[in-house]
Amino acid sequence: MRISCTIIKVKGVPMKGIKEHIKTGQYKTVYLLYGTESYLRRLYTSKLKTGALAGGDEMNLSVFSGKETDWNEVRNLAETMPFFAERRVLVLENTGAFKNACEFADEIAGLPDTAVLIFNESEVDKRSRMFKAVKEHGYICEMNGLSESDLSLWVAQLLNRDGKKISKDDLRFFLERVGSDMENIETEVEKLICYTGEREIITKEDILAVTTEQISGKIFAMTDALGVRNKKLALRLYHDLLAVREKPMTVLYLMVRQCNMILQAAEMSRQGLDRSAIAGKAGMPPFAVGKCLSQAKNFTVEQLLHLITYGTELEEQIKTGRIDERIAVELFLLTAVGAS
């Protein structure tokens, strides 16, 4: 029995659609998992693979990776009867088939019921023939990360599994510090669990002691400082980044990028798009969308456009040797703080 194609957005853990397929044993012949959150893509690729194999021998599993994938071999394997099992599973990772022309698009409709193809792609073009073919005959799931509330719930579950508890304020501080990448979050949670030992409650002091602050967290904090015109804090955060050997050019690029993300998020929000839709269109996790929408309240559209233009001009001056990169970033920050 086959089920109709469904396109869903990740709004929490677990993903009900895929879990339902695994629970009932009713699989499509082809799945596409794509989006910015690689952790979720890997997790559900693994779940689908294990479920479709139904505990069978991995001789019925084939894995392909990269743009040099041999599509003739893929087709031949898909058409080969599984060995003493119900299905043959093919996992295909970052093949580029959904960004470039791919002749395998013509094969999707005719795949046998004994085959389950699972595509794990970081980038897709929804106009591509492959995307349209899978949309018609398979199951597509976009994974752009979790909302802040769902990330908080997930972290709390990870901690609870080891008998740990954390306050809402400290959990929010933790996420702001380590960012929204789920693989990194899992690593930082493990560090906290090991550090606190038998102690049940995780505190802000524990977080500061053992977690690694991501540059994205500093950039968010710098943008917050700029938004409330706190020159002293913005410059201190910048010098903190220099102290850990972040390149000024990288900081400038990320600040300009952040202004652009704020502008995009605010504009799409005004158009009526929700956070999940904004995340998909802008290529950022829902957690970051929430931060951008919050920061948008501190800037006008004109201020953001000016900062983007000015920052881009400074980047060009750095590249052509007309200005020192450290001075350029300080000029950008002072200009942002002085915006009115």
Side-chain angles (χ1 to χ4, degrees):
M1 178 180 178
R2 292 289 170 180
I3 51 181
S4 60
C5 172
T6 308
I7 300 180
I8 65 176
K9 304 285 185 179
V10 175
K11 292 185 178 180
V13 176
M15 293 183 57
K16 294 181 180 179
I18 291 178
K19 283 197 69 176
E20 184 65 21
H21 294 193
I22 296 171
K23 179 181 178 180
T24 61
Q26 298 176 356
Y27 293 92
K28 300 298 289 184
T29 54
V30 59
Y31 290 81
L32 168 61
L33 312 183
Y34 77 99
T36 58
E37 185 47 76
S38 59
Y39 179 94
L40 286 175
R41 287 190 282 111
R42 286 195 302 272
L43 175 64
Y44 284 98
T45 294
S46 178
K47 287 180 178 291
L48 276 171
K49 177 192 72 176
T50 302
L53 286 172
D57 198 302
E58 290 205 352
M59 66 170 38
N60 291 308
L61 170 67
S62 300
V63 178
F64 296 84
S65 181
K67 297 180 181 179
E68 301 305 317
T69 294
D70 186 335
W71 294 107
N72 286 327
E73 185 180 358
V74 172
R75 181 181 63 252
N76 290 336
L77 284 169
E79 293 175 349
T80 301
M81 289 295 294
F83 185 74
F84 291 112
E86 187 176 351
R87 303 176 193 87
R88 181 174 292 279
V89 177
L90 286 73
V91 175
L92 304 103
E93 300 179 332
N94 290 319
T95 63
F98 295 83
K99 287 287 289 182
N100 306 301
C102 180
E103 69 275 11
F104 194 75
D106 297 329
E107 310 289 338
I108 298 296
L111 291 172
D113 288 352
T114 54
V116 175
L117 277 65
I118 307 167
F119 285 92
N120 177 353
E121 302 283 334
S122 58
E123 293 184 288
V124 303
D125 183 343
K126 294 181 181 180
R127 300 167 298 179
S128 67
R129 289 173 59 222
M130 277 289 286
F131 189 93
K132 292 175 181 178
V134 176
K135 181 179 179 180
E136 182 177 357
H137 301 287
Y139 187 97
I140 297 179
C141 182
E142 183 177 3
M143 297 178 168
N144 288 323
L146 305 181
S147 66
E148 183 173 1
S149 60
D150 285 335
L151 269 178
S152 297
L153 176 61
W154 179 62
V155 172
Q157 289 172 342
L158 290 178
L159 292 171
N160 185 64
R161 187 177 62 192
D162 281 85
K164 304 294 183 181
K165 295 181 180 179
I166 189 171
S167 71
K168 289 184 178 180
D169 287 343
D170 287 345
L171 179 51
R172 186 179 300 111
F173 174 75
F174 170 77
L175 289 173
E176 289 177 352
R177 181 174 173 82
V178 306
S180 59
D181 180 85
M182 294 179 71
E183 186 170 10
N184 183 63
I185 289 174
E186 188 175 46
T187 299
E188 298 296 341
V189 166
E190 288 299 321
K191 287 162 63 176
L192 281 171
I193 290 170
C194 293
Y195 178 75
T196 52
E198 297 299 318
R199 182 154 46 85
E200 181 183 26
I201 304 298
I202 289 177
T203 66
K204 183 176 181 180
E205 288 70 28
D206 297 326
I207 296 168
L208 287 169
V210 298
T211 62
T212 303
E213 185 171 21
Q214 299 297 300
I215 187 172
S216 59
K218 286 284 191 185
I219 296 300
F220 277 131
M222 287 174 66
T223 308
D224 282 337
L226 297 179
V228 297
R229 311 298 181 257
N230 190 331
K231 177 178 69 175
K232 184 177 180 180
L233 177 58
L235 288 172
R236 182 178 67 77
L237 290 168
Y238 171 50
H239 290 135
D240 286 348
L241 287 171
L242 295 182
V244 293
R245 299 186 178 181
E246 287 293 346
K247 295 181 179 179
M249 184 68 170
T250 300
V251 176
L252 179 59
Y253 166 77
L254 290 174
M255 288 300 301
V256 173
R257 177 174 175 269
Q258 182 66 17
C259 289
N260 192 40
M261 288 168 61
I262 294 170
L263 185 62
Q264 288 185 60
E267 179 58 30
M268 285 188 275
S269 179
R270 280 193 290 270
Q271 294 173 4
L273 276 67
D274 62 20
R275 293 188 182 187
S276 181
I278 294 172
K281 287 182 174 293
M284 65 177 92
F287 175 77
V289 173
K291 290 290 294 183
C292 287
L293 291 176
S294 175
Q295 291 177 338
K297 299 173 184 177
N298 295 323
F299 299 92
T300 66
V301 171
E302 290 73 20
Q303 288 169 351
L304 290 169
L305 287 172
H306 173 67
L307 290 174
I308 293 168
T309 301
Y310 184 52
T312 303
E313 291 173 352
L314 287 172
E315 288 178 353
E316 179 62 25
Q317 291 178 38
I318 292 171
K319 291 176 182 177
T320 55
R322 288 180 287 163
I323 190 172
D324 177 79
E325 59 180 342
R326 291 187 61 156
I327 294 175
V329 179
E330 292 184 6
L331 284 173
F332 178 84
L333 295 178
L334 292 173
T335 299
V337 171
S340 60

